[in-house]
Amino acid sequence: MGPASPAGASVGSASRERLARTFLVAFFLAVGCDLASLALGLDAGHTVAKPLLMPLLTAYAATRGAPRPLLAALLFGWGGDVFLLSSADWAFLVGMGSFAAGHVCYLLLFRRTRTSPLVAGFYAIALVGAVALLWPDLPADLRIPVAGYSVLLTAMACRASGLGLVAGAGGALFLLSDMLIATGVAEWPQLPAPDFWIMLTYCAGQLLLATGVLARHTQAYRGGRISA
């Protein structure tokens, strides 16, 4: 059997692009449904929509030829989303652990990036300040897990900035989303409809991280090499 013709390759590429767009549109629809449910106080809508978010974004990334660590990071995010639907303490810890595993995957992707010393200094100050302020108000059994998770999350956001503006913004929004969760756990005053803002910043963060990684991966592929 001979090699595929250029026309056949072109048709296959066009088909993948259409499938990718379909998954991306479905992701935006799921995000819209989730945010609308949170704004309107429809718990059932949030329960249905939230578990669909990361699988749809993962499917989009997969059809765009995403590197495996990105797919793993998004799926670990899905695990965190599902567990955090429960209000049980054990589910919160398991969900946080799943997100932590996702940050490790992102750090693997960003291991070759170069971060500005100014950006690194900013994130270091933000980490120390946030943990110091939250520490007295966190439940005693969550202080160490939250502090450890915060180190991973901040490292991910910091390293993401080395991949470019898009991924850097995604990391910052992911950090902001989890900070909003942490202030809720610490029982600080909250914005109206706090879950709406948590999910808005989280979904935007994951999408921008995925977009930034895919752009760099495509650039590396066209340059004749594949970089994780």
PDB file of all heavy atoms in Angstrom, residues 92-93 96 100 103 123-124 126-136 138-155 175 178-179 182 185:
ATOM      1  N   PHE A  92     -13.005  16.879  49.490  1.00  0.00           N
ATOM      2  CA  PHE A  92     -12.218  18.093  49.249  1.00  0.00           C
ATOM      3  C   PHE A  92     -10.744  17.749  49.152  1.00  0.00           C
ATOM      4  O   PHE A  92     -10.033  18.232  48.254  1.00  0.00           O
ATOM      5  CB  PHE A  92     -12.461  19.105  50.374  1.00  0.00           C
ATOM      6  CG  PHE A  92     -11.675  20.371  50.230  1.00  0.00           C
ATOM      7  CD1 PHE A  92     -12.118  21.396  49.404  1.00  0.00           C
ATOM      8  CD2 PHE A  92     -10.478  20.550  50.910  1.00  0.00           C
ATOM      9  CE1 PHE A  92     -11.389  22.569  49.253  1.00  0.00           C
ATOM     10  CE2 PHE A  92      -9.732  21.715  50.773  1.00  0.00           C
ATOM     11  CZ  PHE A  92     -10.195  22.727  49.943  1.00  0.00           C
ATOM     12  N   LEU A  93     -10.256  16.897  50.054  1.00  0.00           N
ATOM     13  CA  LEU A  93      -8.842  16.526  50.049  1.00  0.00           C
ATOM     14  C   LEU A  93      -8.485  15.707  48.804  1.00  0.00           C
ATOM     15  O   LEU A  93      -7.433  15.915  48.192  1.00  0.00           O
ATOM     16  CB  LEU A  93      -8.511  15.739  51.314  1.00  0.00           C
ATOM     17  CG  LEU A  93      -8.463  16.567  52.605  1.00  0.00           C
ATOM     18  CD1 LEU A  93      -8.345  15.648  53.821  1.00  0.00           C
ATOM     19  CD2 LEU A  93      -7.321  17.566  52.576  1.00  0.00           C
ATOM     20  N   MET A  96      -8.488  18.072  45.851  1.00  0.00           N
ATOM     21  CA  MET A  96      -7.276  18.890  45.864  1.00  0.00           C
ATOM     22  C   MET A  96      -6.069  18.068  45.416  1.00  0.00           C
ATOM     23  O   MET A  96      -5.201  18.570  44.683  1.00  0.00           O
ATOM     24  CB  MET A  96      -7.051  19.451  47.271  1.00  0.00           C
ATOM     25  CG  MET A  96      -5.901  20.432  47.360  1.00  0.00           C
ATOM     26  SD  MET A  96      -5.887  21.393  48.906  1.00  0.00           S
ATOM     27  CE  MET A  96      -5.784  20.081  50.124  1.00  0.00           C
ATOM     28  N   ALA A 100      -3.654  18.748  42.295  1.00  0.00           N
ATOM     29  CA  ALA A 100      -2.205  18.801  42.511  1.00  0.00           C
ATOM     30  C   ALA A 100      -1.482  17.934  41.482  1.00  0.00           C
ATOM     31  O   ALA A 100      -0.443  18.327  40.934  1.00  0.00           O
ATOM     32  CB  ALA A 100      -1.861  18.348  43.928  1.00  0.00           C
ATOM     33  N   HIS A 103      -1.265  19.776  38.333  1.00  0.00           N
ATOM     34  CA  HIS A 103      -0.216  20.806  38.329  1.00  0.00           C
ATOM     35  C   HIS A 103       1.155  20.187  38.067  1.00  0.00           C
ATOM     36  O   HIS A 103       2.003  20.808  37.408  1.00  0.00           O
ATOM     37  CB  HIS A 103      -0.219  21.557  39.656  1.00  0.00           C
ATOM     38  CG  HIS A 103      -1.477  22.331  39.912  1.00  0.00           C
ATOM     39  ND1 HIS A 103      -2.145  22.995  38.905  1.00  0.00           N
ATOM     40  CD2 HIS A 103      -2.200  22.533  41.048  1.00  0.00           C
ATOM     41  CE1 HIS A 103      -3.219  23.581  39.409  1.00  0.00           C
ATOM     42  NE2 HIS A 103      -3.270  23.307  40.704  1.00  0.00           N
ATOM     43  N   TYR A 123       5.373  36.020  42.237  1.00  0.00           N
ATOM     44  CA  TYR A 123       4.638  34.830  42.659  1.00  0.00           C
ATOM     45  C   TYR A 123       5.128  34.334  44.021  1.00  0.00           C
ATOM     46  O   TYR A 123       4.332  33.843  44.832  1.00  0.00           O
ATOM     47  CB  TYR A 123       4.763  33.726  41.616  1.00  0.00           C
ATOM     48  CG  TYR A 123       3.728  33.835  40.516  1.00  0.00           C
ATOM     49  CD1 TYR A 123       4.096  34.112  39.200  1.00  0.00           C
ATOM     50  CD2 TYR A 123       2.376  33.651  40.793  1.00  0.00           C
ATOM     51  CE1 TYR A 123       3.149  34.216  38.193  1.00  0.00           C
ATOM     52  CE2 TYR A 123       1.426  33.755  39.783  1.00  0.00           C
ATOM     53  CZ  TYR A 123       1.814  34.043  38.490  1.00  0.00           C
ATOM     54  OH  TYR A 123       0.866  34.132  37.500  1.00  0.00           O
ATOM     55  N   ALA A 124       6.423  34.462  44.300  1.00  0.00           N
ATOM     56  CA  ALA A 124       6.944  34.034  45.600  1.00  0.00           C
ATOM     57  C   ALA A 124       6.356  34.882  46.723  1.00  0.00           C
ATOM     58  O   ALA A 124       5.935  34.350  47.773  1.00  0.00           O
ATOM     59  CB  ALA A 124       8.471  34.132  45.607  1.00  0.00           C
ATOM     60  N   ALA A 126       3.529  36.559  46.558  1.00  0.00           N
ATOM     61  CA  ALA A 126       2.099  36.253  46.626  1.00  0.00           C
ATOM     62  C   ALA A 126       1.847  34.963  47.402  1.00  0.00           C
ATOM     63  O   ALA A 126       0.917  34.872  48.210  1.00  0.00           O
ATOM     64  CB  ALA A 126       1.523  36.140  45.215  1.00  0.00           C
ATOM     65  N   LEU A 127       2.695  33.944  47.168  1.00  0.00           N
ATOM     66  CA  LEU A 127       2.540  32.667  47.862  1.00  0.00           C
ATOM     67  C   LEU A 127       2.714  32.827  49.362  1.00  0.00           C
ATOM     68  O   LEU A 127       1.856  32.398  50.153  1.00  0.00           O
ATOM     69  CB  LEU A 127       3.553  31.665  47.321  1.00  0.00           C
ATOM     70  CG  LEU A 127       3.684  30.345  48.094  1.00  0.00           C
ATOM     71  CD1 LEU A 127       2.384  29.560  48.033  1.00  0.00           C
ATOM     72  CD2 LEU A 127       4.849  29.519  47.550  1.00  0.00           C
ATOM     73  N   VAL A 128       3.816  33.448  49.767  1.00  0.00           N
ATOM     74  CA  VAL A 128       4.099  33.611  51.193  1.00  0.00           C
ATOM     75  C   VAL A 128       3.020  34.462  51.863  1.00  0.00           C
ATOM     76  O   VAL A 128       2.522  34.131  52.950  1.00  0.00           O
ATOM     77  CB  VAL A 128       5.489  34.239  51.400  1.00  0.00           C
ATOM     78  CG1 VAL A 128       5.715  34.572  52.877  1.00  0.00           C
ATOM     79  CG2 VAL A 128       6.578  33.291  50.905  1.00  0.00           C
ATOM     80  N   GLY A 129       2.629  35.547  51.206  1.00  0.00           N
ATOM     81  CA  GLY A 129       1.616  36.421  51.779  1.00  0.00           C
ATOM     82  C   GLY A 129       0.266  35.745  51.919  1.00  0.00           C
ATOM     83  O   GLY A 129      -0.403  35.871  52.956  1.00  0.00           O
ATOM     84  N   ALA A 130      -0.147  35.003  50.877  1.00  0.00           N
ATOM     85  CA  ALA A 130      -1.460  34.349  50.917  1.00  0.00           C
ATOM     86  C   ALA A 130      -1.513  33.277  52.000  1.00  0.00           C
ATOM     87  O   ALA A 130      -2.478  33.201  52.773  1.00  0.00           O
ATOM     88  CB  ALA A 130      -1.778  33.743  49.553  1.00  0.00           C
ATOM     89  N   VAL A 131      -0.467  32.448  52.067  1.00  0.00           N
ATOM     90  CA  VAL A 131      -0.458  31.381  53.080  1.00  0.00           C
ATOM     91  C   VAL A 131      -0.428  31.978  54.484  1.00  0.00           C
ATOM     92  O   VAL A 131      -1.135  31.510  55.390  1.00  0.00           O
ATOM     93  CB  VAL A 131       0.740  30.437  52.858  1.00  0.00           C
ATOM     94  CG1 VAL A 131       0.877  29.455  54.024  1.00  0.00           C
ATOM     95  CG2 VAL A 131       0.562  29.674  51.549  1.00  0.00           C
ATOM     96  N   ALA A 132       0.367  33.029  54.672  1.00  0.00           N
ATOM     97  CA  ALA A 132       0.455  33.657  55.998  1.00  0.00           C
ATOM     98  C   ALA A 132      -0.888  34.253  56.423  1.00  0.00           C
ATOM     99  O   ALA A 132      -1.281  34.148  57.602  1.00  0.00           O
ATOM    100  CB  ALA A 132       1.534  34.737  55.983  1.00  0.00           C
ATOM    101  N   LEU A 133      -1.592  34.875  55.494  1.00  0.00           N
ATOM    102  CA  LEU A 133      -2.874  35.494  55.828  1.00  0.00           C
ATOM    103  C   LEU A 133      -3.966  34.458  56.056  1.00  0.00           C
ATOM    104  O   LEU A 133      -4.810  34.609  56.946  1.00  0.00           O
ATOM    105  CB  LEU A 133      -3.287  36.457  54.714  1.00  0.00           C
ATOM    106  CG  LEU A 133      -2.457  37.742  54.592  1.00  0.00           C
ATOM    107  CD1 LEU A 133      -2.832  38.503  53.326  1.00  0.00           C
ATOM    108  CD2 LEU A 133      -2.665  38.626  55.821  1.00  0.00           C
ATOM    109  N   LEU A 134      -3.970  33.395  55.241  1.00  0.00           N
ATOM    110  CA  LEU A 134      -5.025  32.385  55.338  1.00  0.00           C
ATOM    111  C   LEU A 134      -4.817  31.430  56.508  1.00  0.00           C
ATOM    112  O   LEU A 134      -5.785  30.909  57.066  1.00  0.00           O
ATOM    113  CB  LEU A 134      -5.095  31.579  54.041  1.00  0.00           C
ATOM    114  CG  LEU A 134      -5.677  32.281  52.818  1.00  0.00           C
ATOM    115  CD1 LEU A 134      -5.361  31.488  51.555  1.00  0.00           C
ATOM    116  CD2 LEU A 134      -7.185  32.453  52.966  1.00  0.00           C
ATOM    117  N   TRP A 135      -3.576  31.182  56.859  1.00  0.00           N
ATOM    118  CA  TRP A 135      -3.227  30.142  57.832  1.00  0.00           C
ATOM    119  C   TRP A 135      -4.063  30.179  59.117  1.00  0.00           C
ATOM    120  O   TRP A 135      -4.628  29.152  59.523  1.00  0.00           O
ATOM    121  CB  TRP A 135      -1.741  30.246  58.165  1.00  0.00           C
ATOM    122  CG  TRP A 135      -1.222  29.129  59.035  1.00  0.00           C
ATOM    123  CD1 TRP A 135      -1.204  29.084  60.403  1.00  0.00           C
ATOM    124  CD2 TRP A 135      -0.648  27.900  58.588  1.00  0.00           C
ATOM    125  NE1 TRP A 135      -0.645  27.925  60.841  1.00  0.00           N
ATOM    126  CE2 TRP A 135      -0.293  27.168  59.751  1.00  0.00           C
ATOM    127  CE3 TRP A 135      -0.387  27.347  57.334  1.00  0.00           C
ATOM    128  CZ2 TRP A 135       0.302  25.911  59.690  1.00  0.00           C
ATOM    129  CZ3 TRP A 135       0.209  26.096  57.268  1.00  0.00           C
ATOM    130  CH2 TRP A 135       0.542  25.383  58.432  1.00  0.00           C
ATOM    131  N   PRO A 136      -4.200  31.323  59.801  1.00  0.00           N
ATOM    132  CA  PRO A 136      -4.942  31.312  61.075  1.00  0.00           C
ATOM    133  C   PRO A 136      -6.422  30.964  60.921  1.00  0.00           C
ATOM    134  O   PRO A 136      -7.040  30.465  61.875  1.00  0.00           O
ATOM    135  CB  PRO A 136      -4.780  32.748  61.588  1.00  0.00           C
ATOM    136  CG  PRO A 136      -3.641  33.318  60.837  1.00  0.00           C
ATOM    137  CD  PRO A 136      -3.680  32.657  59.488  1.00  0.00           C
ATOM    138  N   LEU A 138      -7.779  28.934  58.456  1.00  0.00           N
ATOM    139  CA  LEU A 138      -8.042  27.620  57.869  1.00  0.00           C
ATOM    140  C   LEU A 138      -8.278  26.595  58.971  1.00  0.00           C
ATOM    141  O   LEU A 138      -7.683  26.687  60.049  1.00  0.00           O
ATOM    142  CB  LEU A 138      -6.856  27.174  57.011  1.00  0.00           C
ATOM    143  CG  LEU A 138      -6.608  27.934  55.706  1.00  0.00           C
ATOM    144  CD1 LEU A 138      -5.271  27.505  55.102  1.00  0.00           C
ATOM    145  CD2 LEU A 138      -7.741  27.688  54.714  1.00  0.00           C
ATOM    146  N   PRO A 139      -9.138  25.599  58.724  1.00  0.00           N
ATOM    147  CA  PRO A 139      -9.258  24.495  59.681  1.00  0.00           C
ATOM    148  C   PRO A 139      -7.893  23.856  59.913  1.00  0.00           C
ATOM    149  O   PRO A 139      -7.098  23.710  58.973  1.00  0.00           O
ATOM    150  CB  PRO A 139     -10.225  23.535  58.979  1.00  0.00           C
ATOM    151  CG  PRO A 139     -11.011  24.399  58.040  1.00  0.00           C
ATOM    152  CD  PRO A 139     -10.059  25.462  57.580  1.00  0.00           C
ATOM    153  N   ALA A 140      -7.617  23.470  61.145  1.00  0.00           N
ATOM    154  CA  ALA A 140      -6.291  22.981  61.498  1.00  0.00           C
ATOM    155  C   ALA A 140      -5.846  21.805  60.632  1.00  0.00           C
ATOM    156  O   ALA A 140      -4.670  21.706  60.256  1.00  0.00           O
ATOM    157  CB  ALA A 140      -6.255  22.590  62.974  1.00  0.00           C
ATOM    158  N   ASP A 141      -6.790  20.910  60.297  1.00  0.00           N
ATOM    159  CA  ASP A 141      -6.406  19.718  59.528  1.00  0.00           C
ATOM    160  C   ASP A 141      -6.184  20.010  58.045  1.00  0.00           C
ATOM    161  O   ASP A 141      -5.714  19.141  57.308  1.00  0.00           O
ATOM    162  CB  ASP A 141      -7.461  18.624  59.685  1.00  0.00           C
ATOM    163  CG  ASP A 141      -8.839  19.064  59.226  1.00  0.00           C
ATOM    164  OD1 ASP A 141      -9.112  20.282  59.230  1.00  0.00           O
ATOM    165  OD2 ASP A 141      -9.664  18.205  58.862  1.00  0.00           O
ATOM    166  N   LEU A 142      -6.506  21.228  57.608  1.00  0.00           N
ATOM    167  CA  LEU A 142      -6.316  21.584  56.201  1.00  0.00           C
ATOM    168  C   LEU A 142      -5.128  22.512  55.973  1.00  0.00           C
ATOM    169  O   LEU A 142      -4.766  22.780  54.824  1.00  0.00           O
ATOM    170  CB  LEU A 142      -7.581  22.256  55.652  1.00  0.00           C
ATOM    171  CG  LEU A 142      -8.821  21.370  55.480  1.00  0.00           C
ATOM    172  CD1 LEU A 142      -9.979  22.187  54.915  1.00  0.00           C
ATOM    173  CD2 LEU A 142      -8.526  20.186  54.566  1.00  0.00           C
ATOM    174  N   ARG A 143      -4.520  22.996  57.029  1.00  0.00           N
ATOM    175  CA  ARG A 143      -3.465  23.991  56.866  1.00  0.00           C
ATOM    176  C   ARG A 143      -2.281  23.453  56.069  1.00  0.00           C
ATOM    177  O   ARG A 143      -1.836  24.089  55.102  1.00  0.00           O
ATOM    178  CB  ARG A 143      -3.004  24.483  58.241  1.00  0.00           C
ATOM    179  CG  ARG A 143      -4.016  25.390  58.921  1.00  0.00           C
ATOM    180  CD  ARG A 143      -3.608  25.706  60.339  1.00  0.00           C
ATOM    181  NE  ARG A 143      -4.571  26.585  60.983  1.00  0.00           N
ATOM    182  CZ  ARG A 143      -4.594  26.853  62.284  1.00  0.00           C
ATOM    183  NH1 ARG A 143      -3.682  26.289  63.088  1.00  0.00           N
ATOM    184  NH2 ARG A 143      -5.497  27.654  62.789  1.00  0.00           N
ATOM    185  N   ILE A 144      -1.765  22.308  56.459  1.00  0.00           N
ATOM    186  CA  ILE A 144      -0.601  21.740  55.764  1.00  0.00           C
ATOM    187  C   ILE A 144      -0.955  21.338  54.331  1.00  0.00           C
ATOM    188  O   ILE A 144      -0.223  21.683  53.389  1.00  0.00           O
ATOM    189  CB  ILE A 144      -0.024  20.543  56.541  1.00  0.00           C
ATOM    190  CG1 ILE A 144       0.472  20.994  57.925  1.00  0.00           C
ATOM    191  CG2 ILE A 144       1.096  19.884  55.752  1.00  0.00           C
ATOM    192  CD1 ILE A 144       1.563  22.028  57.880  1.00  0.00           C
ATOM    193  N   PRO A 145      -2.087  20.608  54.112  1.00  0.00           N
ATOM    194  CA  PRO A 145      -2.436  20.269  52.728  1.00  0.00           C
ATOM    195  C   PRO A 145      -2.629  21.492  51.828  1.00  0.00           C
ATOM    196  O   PRO A 145      -2.174  21.502  50.685  1.00  0.00           O
ATOM    197  CB  PRO A 145      -3.740  19.473  52.869  1.00  0.00           C
ATOM    198  CG  PRO A 145      -3.693  18.902  54.239  1.00  0.00           C
ATOM    199  CD  PRO A 145      -3.006  19.946  55.064  1.00  0.00           C
ATOM    200  N   VAL A 146      -3.292  22.522  52.350  1.00  0.00           N
ATOM    201  CA  VAL A 146      -3.521  23.721  51.545  1.00  0.00           C
ATOM    202  C   VAL A 146      -2.200  24.434  51.247  1.00  0.00           C
ATOM    203  O   VAL A 146      -1.972  24.905  50.127  1.00  0.00           O
ATOM    204  CB  VAL A 146      -4.508  24.676  52.254  1.00  0.00           C
ATOM    205  CG1 VAL A 146      -4.520  26.050  51.590  1.00  0.00           C
ATOM    206  CG2 VAL A 146      -5.918  24.088  52.236  1.00  0.00           C
ATOM    207  N   ALA A 147      -1.315  24.490  52.241  1.00  0.00           N
ATOM    208  CA  ALA A 147      -0.019  25.144  52.018  1.00  0.00           C
ATOM    209  C   ALA A 147       0.794  24.386  50.971  1.00  0.00           C
ATOM    210  O   ALA A 147       1.397  25.000  50.065  1.00  0.00           O
ATOM    211  CB  ALA A 147       0.756  25.228  53.333  1.00  0.00           C
ATOM    212  N   GLY A 148       0.830  23.052  51.068  1.00  0.00           N
ATOM    213  CA  GLY A 148       1.563  22.257  50.087  1.00  0.00           C
ATOM    214  C   GLY A 148       0.981  22.399  48.698  1.00  0.00           C
ATOM    215  O   GLY A 148       1.724  22.540  47.702  1.00  0.00           O
ATOM    216  N   TYR A 149      -0.348  22.380  48.618  1.00  0.00           N
ATOM    217  CA  TYR A 149      -1.001  22.552  47.323  1.00  0.00           C
ATOM    218  C   TYR A 149      -0.699  23.935  46.751  1.00  0.00           C
ATOM    219  O   TYR A 149      -0.473  24.085  45.544  1.00  0.00           O
ATOM    220  CB  TYR A 149      -2.513  22.368  47.483  1.00  0.00           C
ATOM    221  CG  TYR A 149      -3.293  22.644  46.224  1.00  0.00           C
ATOM    222  CD1 TYR A 149      -3.371  21.695  45.217  1.00  0.00           C
ATOM    223  CD2 TYR A 149      -3.925  23.875  46.035  1.00  0.00           C
ATOM    224  CE1 TYR A 149      -4.076  21.954  44.046  1.00  0.00           C
ATOM    225  CE2 TYR A 149      -4.614  24.142  44.874  1.00  0.00           C
ATOM    226  CZ  TYR A 149      -4.701  23.179  43.880  1.00  0.00           C
ATOM    227  OH  TYR A 149      -5.385  23.452  42.727  1.00  0.00           O
ATOM    228  N   SER A 150      -0.670  24.929  47.610  1.00  0.00           N
ATOM    229  CA  SER A 150      -0.422  26.300  47.153  1.00  0.00           C
ATOM    230  C   SER A 150       0.959  26.431  46.528  1.00  0.00           C
ATOM    231  O   SER A 150       1.140  27.190  45.568  1.00  0.00           O
ATOM    232  CB  SER A 150      -0.562  27.279  48.324  1.00  0.00           C
ATOM    233  OG  SER A 150      -1.881  27.265  48.844  1.00  0.00           O
ATOM    234  N   VAL A 151       1.936  25.711  47.072  1.00  0.00           N
ATOM    235  CA  VAL A 151       3.285  25.741  46.490  1.00  0.00           C
ATOM    236  C   VAL A 151       3.257  25.197  45.065  1.00  0.00           C
ATOM    237  O   VAL A 151       3.825  25.796  44.138  1.00  0.00           O
ATOM    238  CB  VAL A 151       4.271  24.939  47.367  1.00  0.00           C
ATOM    239  CG1 VAL A 151       5.613  24.784  46.654  1.00  0.00           C
ATOM    240  CG2 VAL A 151       4.456  25.618  48.720  1.00  0.00           C
ATOM    241  N   LEU A 152       2.591  24.048  44.876  1.00  0.00           N
ATOM    242  CA  LEU A 152       2.499  23.456  43.542  1.00  0.00           C
ATOM    243  C   LEU A 152       1.757  24.375  42.578  1.00  0.00           C
ATOM    244  O   LEU A 152       2.183  24.585  41.435  1.00  0.00           O
ATOM    245  CB  LEU A 152       1.770  22.116  43.612  1.00  0.00           C
ATOM    246  CG  LEU A 152       2.603  20.847  43.753  1.00  0.00           C
ATOM    247  CD1 LEU A 152       1.685  19.635  43.806  1.00  0.00           C
ATOM    248  CD2 LEU A 152       3.592  20.712  42.614  1.00  0.00           C
ATOM    249  N   LEU A 153       0.629  24.900  43.027  1.00  0.00           N
ATOM    250  CA  LEU A 153      -0.192  25.766  42.176  1.00  0.00           C
ATOM    251  C   LEU A 153       0.577  27.010  41.758  1.00  0.00           C
ATOM    252  O   LEU A 153       0.567  27.402  40.585  1.00  0.00           O
ATOM    253  CB  LEU A 153      -1.467  26.145  42.933  1.00  0.00           C
ATOM    254  CG  LEU A 153      -2.350  27.230  42.317  1.00  0.00           C
ATOM    255  CD1 LEU A 153      -2.872  26.801  40.954  1.00  0.00           C
ATOM    256  CD2 LEU A 153      -3.517  27.562  43.262  1.00  0.00           C
ATOM    257  N   THR A 154       1.257  27.635  42.720  1.00  0.00           N
ATOM    258  CA  THR A 154       2.003  28.855  42.413  1.00  0.00           C
ATOM    259  C   THR A 154       3.170  28.566  41.484  1.00  0.00           C
ATOM    260  O   THR A 154       3.462  29.347  40.569  1.00  0.00           O
ATOM    261  CB  THR A 154       2.495  29.511  43.708  1.00  0.00           C
ATOM    262  OG1 THR A 154       1.390  29.720  44.594  1.00  0.00           O
ATOM    263  CG2 THR A 154       3.147  30.850  43.415  1.00  0.00           C
ATOM    264  N   ALA A 155       3.845  27.434  41.708  1.00  0.00           N
ATOM    265  CA  ALA A 155       4.941  27.050  40.809  1.00  0.00           C
ATOM    266  C   ALA A 155       4.431  26.845  39.391  1.00  0.00           C
ATOM    267  O   ALA A 155       5.070  27.260  38.417  1.00  0.00           O
ATOM    268  CB  ALA A 155       5.608  25.780  41.325  1.00  0.00           C
ATOM    269  N   LEU A 175      -4.754  30.194  39.457  1.00  0.00           N
ATOM    270  CA  LEU A 175      -4.346  30.575  40.808  1.00  0.00           C
ATOM    271  C   LEU A 175      -5.423  31.417  41.486  1.00  0.00           C
ATOM    272  O   LEU A 175      -5.771  31.190  42.655  1.00  0.00           O
ATOM    273  CB  LEU A 175      -3.031  31.343  40.749  1.00  0.00           C
ATOM    274  CG  LEU A 175      -2.478  31.893  42.067  1.00  0.00           C
ATOM    275  CD1 LEU A 175      -2.176  30.769  43.043  1.00  0.00           C
ATOM    276  CD2 LEU A 175      -1.227  32.725  41.809  1.00  0.00           C
ATOM    277  N   ASP A 178      -8.433  29.245  42.595  1.00  0.00           N
ATOM    278  CA  ASP A 178      -8.204  28.460  43.804  1.00  0.00           C
ATOM    279  C   ASP A 178      -8.039  29.337  45.033  1.00  0.00           C
ATOM    280  O   ASP A 178      -8.342  28.909  46.155  1.00  0.00           O
ATOM    281  CB  ASP A 178      -6.988  27.560  43.607  1.00  0.00           C
ATOM    282  CG  ASP A 178      -7.330  26.303  42.818  1.00  0.00           C
ATOM    283  OD1 ASP A 178      -8.487  26.179  42.386  1.00  0.00           O
ATOM    284  OD2 ASP A 178      -6.448  25.452  42.633  1.00  0.00           O
ATOM    285  N   MET A 179      -7.567  30.565  44.848  1.00  0.00           N
ATOM    286  CA  MET A 179      -7.516  31.498  45.969  1.00  0.00           C
ATOM    287  C   MET A 179      -8.916  31.847  46.440  1.00  0.00           C
ATOM    288  O   MET A 179      -9.167  31.994  47.647  1.00  0.00           O
ATOM    289  CB  MET A 179      -6.769  32.768  45.571  1.00  0.00           C
ATOM    290  CG  MET A 179      -5.258  32.641  45.637  1.00  0.00           C
ATOM    291  SD  MET A 179      -4.672  32.268  47.312  1.00  0.00           S
ATOM    292  CE  MET A 179      -5.308  33.682  48.208  1.00  0.00           C
ATOM    293  N   ALA A 182      -9.990  29.006  48.532  1.00  0.00           N
ATOM    294  CA  ALA A 182      -9.313  29.016  49.829  1.00  0.00           C
ATOM    295  C   ALA A 182      -9.912  30.056  50.771  1.00  0.00           C
ATOM    296  O   ALA A 182     -10.064  29.794  51.972  1.00  0.00           O
ATOM    297  CB  ALA A 182      -7.820  29.277  49.635  1.00  0.00           C
ATOM    298  N   VAL A 185     -12.995  28.564  52.206  1.00  0.00           N
ATOM    299  CA  VAL A 185     -12.692  27.585  53.253  1.00  0.00           C
ATOM    300  C   VAL A 185     -12.314  28.297  54.547  1.00  0.00           C
ATOM    301  O   VAL A 185     -12.662  27.854  55.648  1.00  0.00           O
ATOM    302  CB  VAL A 185     -11.563  26.643  52.787  1.00  0.00           C
ATOM    303  CG1 VAL A 185     -11.127  25.722  53.927  1.00  0.00           C
ATOM    304  CG2 VAL A 185     -12.023  25.812  51.595  1.00  0.00           C
TER     305      VAL A 185
END
